[in-house]
Amino acid sequence: MKNNIDNNNFSKKIVICGAGGFIGGALIAELRCRGYNNIRAVDRKPMTRWYQKFEDVDNLVLDLQYRDNCYKALQGAHDCYNLAADMGGMGFIELNKALCMLSVLINTHLLEGCRDLGVSRFFYASSACVYAGYKQLETDNPGLKEEDAYPADPEDGYGWEKLFSERMCRHFREDFGIRTRVARFHNVYGPNGTFDGGREKAPAAICRKAIAAKQAGTRDIEIWGDGMQTRSFMYIDDCIKGILDIMDSEIEEPINLGSDEMVSINQLVDIVESIAEIKLERAYKLDAPKGVRGRSSDNTKIQQELGWAPNIRLKDGMRKTYEWILDQMSSGHSKDAIVNFEESDASRVLAH
Ligand code: NAD
């Protein structure tokens, strides 16, 4: 068994997969702040499109769906965090099920690499999309408990891949002794994430639409669905603390990492209106992808086991997110047009 937790060794190699993305970039920022000095960052996107990139980190462009690239990424690693996935908001995952399921290659090849190269600890980013659809039919959701993932009826495509990969982690732990940890994220939001291009999620999309309306001098906003569907949203800083706490914990089974502050999409728009100081005309697009009717996180387990609870209220986190998106839009920045195949083909080889 290679299960030693070696947290005082600040020079152990930590590999972050999906490092050019929203959560991966924020995780590296925090690890650096904590003093870790041997970090490898891996993503398939060209580095110009990484949300955060640090010069003192070993940055690699690799497509981790390929086994050889996973082995290159994991050379010398002690810990691996797998945050790489082809994903986005409802608009992306409902219309790209095959692409979402292909992320299974990333997690599978990374786990094989961990086994063969002796990597001690592995973190997998799962999702609330593993939860059974029949538990999410009402807007008034009491909060999903970990056991609500079974009998299985996850989100088609994306959710099935997450559920399968969770189980791969379990079996690699049981059969090969890799210390795997799995968190089920519920909607993460904050600065340095996707806000346009088709992969963005509701908090960023609503901020962008409100800013665009304000800049154009109009008052219109399109809302997907009837706006009564409910969700909870976790600010990025809370998410990062939770990831690191879970990685260091003895919690072997998948655990919720999310907020239990449930709001409707209409209430989320109310929050953005008050931040933007604008009153919008809402047009409801009822045939748009909208996902389950009601979803929130039951945090009983993570509170009991780790004392973790979200620190940042939705209205405070949304203000920071709004300001960052406003800044990006005002300066004409956008990193997240949907990746096309030519681009991902080009990044299959190692290219600094
Ligand atoms: P993101 O899209 O910002 O980051 C994912 C990164 O993975 C991207 O930079 C992408 O280029 C990279 N990637 C995709 N395929 C790759 C491949 N084959 N090889 C190498 N890199 C690849 O997404 P995020 O919000 O940072 O999400 C991180 C993880 O958390 C994902 O597994 C996601 O499914 C999970 N998750 C996120 C949320 C959320 O609300 N953001 C909710 C639930 C689960």
Side-chain angles (χ1 to χ4, degrees):
M1 294 280 280
K2 303 173 287 266
N3 283 353
N4 53 316
I5 303 184
D6 204 359
N7 282 336
N8 293 325
N9 177 3
F10 290 103
S11 57
K12 67 178 174 180
K13 185 168 291 298
I14 303 177
V15 176
I16 311 295
C17 304
F22 169 44
I23 301 174
L27 180 58
I28 293 174
E30 177 62 20
L31 286 167
R32 288 172 70 256
C33 282
R34 291 188 183 197
Y36 292 97
N37 57 28
N38 190 2
I39 299 170
R40 181 177 293 145
V42 187
D43 203 289
R44 130 180 116 169
K45 287 191 295 201
M47 283 184 208
T48 48
R49 293 185 46 229
W50 292 24
Y51 283 111
Q52 301 192 63
K53 186 160 93 55
F54 304 94
E55 295 310 324
D56 56 356
V57 164
D58 179 21
N59 295 309
L60 301 181
V61 174
L62 290 170
D63 187 335
L64 295 170
Q65 287 192 5
Y66 294 84
R67 195 168 186 267
D68 288 356
N69 286 343
C70 288
Y71 281 67
K72 275 181 202 152
L74 292 170
Q75 285 297 328
H78 186 282
D79 295 352
C80 173
Y81 292 82
N82 178 16
L83 299 153
D86 220 344
M87 63 89 67
M90 262 303 144
F92 180 81
I93 67 176
E94 280 199 6
L95 300 173
N96 294 279
K97 295 185 180 129
L99 286 184
C100 289
M101 291 207 79
L102 281 171
S103 295
V104 75
L105 295 172
I106 304 173
N107 201 59
T108 305
H109 291 143
L110 283 174
L111 282 170
E112 286 189 310
C114 288
R115 177 196 60 197
D116 296 346
L117 300 173
V119 179
S120 296
R121 307 200 303 169
F122 184 84
F123 177 90
Y124 177 62
S126 186
S127 163
C129 287
V130 299
Y131 284 114
Y134 56 80
K135 294 268 182 184
Q136 304 172 81
L137 297 173
E138 307 295 334
T139 54
D140 189 18
N141 193 304
L144 293 155
K145 295 186 192 301
E146 283 75 3
E147 55 269 30
D148 290 333
Y150 295 97
D153 177 26
E155 181 76 33
D156 201 7
Y158 179 74
W160 274 109
E161 189 278 320
K162 292 289 186 195
L163 200 60
F164 177 87
S165 290
E166 284 188 356
R167 296 193 78 91
M168 285 285 279
C169 290
R170 170 202 282 209
H171 297 305
F172 270 68
R173 173 173 51 77
E174 289 171 348
D175 295 356
F176 304 125
I178 304 166
R179 189 185 165 99
T180 60
R181 297 292 180 261
V182 177
R184 291 178 181 154
F185 299 166
H186 291 246
N187 288 305
V188 190
Y189 73 100
N192 293 304
T194 312
F195 65 90
D196 64 1
R199 290 179 186 255
E200 65 278 14
K201 297 186 156 206
I206 293 168
C207 288
R208 187 200 72 230
K209 289 176 186 180
I211 294 165
K214 227 178 148 172
Q215 287 178 341
T218 62
R219 304 215 156 253
D220 304 323
I221 185 164
E222 182 184 88
I223 295 171
W224 288 8
D226 62 6
M228 280 149 61
Q229 65 272 35
T230 53
R231 295 291 185 276
S232 66
F233 300 95
M234 167 172 54
Y235 192 65
I236 183 70
D237 294 5
D238 287 326
C239 175
I240 298 301
K241 176 165 191 316
I243 291 173
L244 294 169
D245 287 356
I246 290 168
M247 184 64 140
D248 291 345
S249 77
E250 296 305 319
I251 302 168
E252 296 184 329
E253 293 302 320
I255 186 163
N256 279 334
L257 183 60
S259 167
D260 48 9
E261 185 185 351
M262 189 174 74
V263 291
S264 69
I265 296 301
N266 278 328
Q267 288 171 318
L268 191 60
V269 177
D270 294 342
I271 291 173
V272 174
E273 280 182 340
S274 79
I275 295 167
E277 297 175 345
I278 186 173
K279 193 81 199 142
L280 296 160
E281 287 295 325
R282 304 178 189 195
Y284 294 98
K285 188 167 164 44
L286 298 180
D287 59 352
K290 44 198 171 289
V292 295
R293 193 70 181 141
R295 173 177 289 166
S296 184
S297 178
D298 181 298
N299 285 352
T300 309
K301 192 168 174 191
I302 195 163
Q303 265 168 4
Q304 275 172 358
E305 303 225 7
L306 294 177
W308 181 95
N311 240 328
I312 297 169
R313 305 284 304 167
L314 185 58
K315 64 176 173 42
D316 300 327
M318 284 300 286
R319 182 172 293 282
K320 294 180 198 220
T321 309
Y322 179 91
E323 281 164 5
W324 180 78
I325 295 174
L326 176 61
D327 188 50
Q328 298 296 300
M329 289 174 70
S330 305
S331 53
H333 290 164
S334 164
K335 294 205 185 223
D336 254 320
I338 286 177
V339 181
N340 62 39
F341 282 102
E342 291 73 30
E343 190 171 56
S344 81
D345 281 346
S347 62
R348 275 178 194 157
V349 287
L350 184 62
H352 286 256

